[in-house]
């Protein structure tokens, strides 16, 4: 059985690496954890799990000062309340 993950990574990640495992940040559907922000191998509890049939989304809001923005995630048209500063 496969895993669903949503996020962003760079050229360091190889095909098959889920976002947040090697680089970037990723929200993983099987356990609702966020990987890549605090360098924890277990990730951190972030939001609800998601799977086949759910509609998930990912976006980025640039800060006014252009220094630091926030990533956000959605599930079934609702934004998950936690923001990710990266």
């Amino acid at each position: 059985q496969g895993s669903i993950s949503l996020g962003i990574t760079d050229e360091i990640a190889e095909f098959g690496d889920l976002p947040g495992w090697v680089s970037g940040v990723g929200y993983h559907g099987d356990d609702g954890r966020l990987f890549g922000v605090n360098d924890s191998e277990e990730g951190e509890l972030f939001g609800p799990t998601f799977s086949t049939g759910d509609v998930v989304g990912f976006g980025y809001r640039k800060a006014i000062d252009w220094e630091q923005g926030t990533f956000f995630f959605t599930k079934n048209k609702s934004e998950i309340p936690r923001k990710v500063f990266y």
Side-chain angles (χ1 to χ4, degrees), residues 2-63:
S3 296
I4 300 172
S5 178
L6 191 62
I8 191 168
T9 189
D10 60 19
E11 67 275 357
I12 294 173
E14 296 183 16
F15 183 78
D17 290 339
L18 294 180
W21 277 357
V22 176
S23 65
V25 60
Y27 173 31
H28 295 200
D30 61 336
D31 56 12
R33 292 186 172 275
L34 187 72
F35 290 84
V37 174
N38 62 7
D39 294 327
S40 167
E41 289 186 14
E42 294 96 31
E44 62 182 70
L45 191 55
F46 180 72
T49 61
F50 58 89
S51 187
T52 305
D54 289 317
V55 178
V56 291
F58 170 75
Y60 180 75
R61 289 188 186 102
K62 191 66 177 159

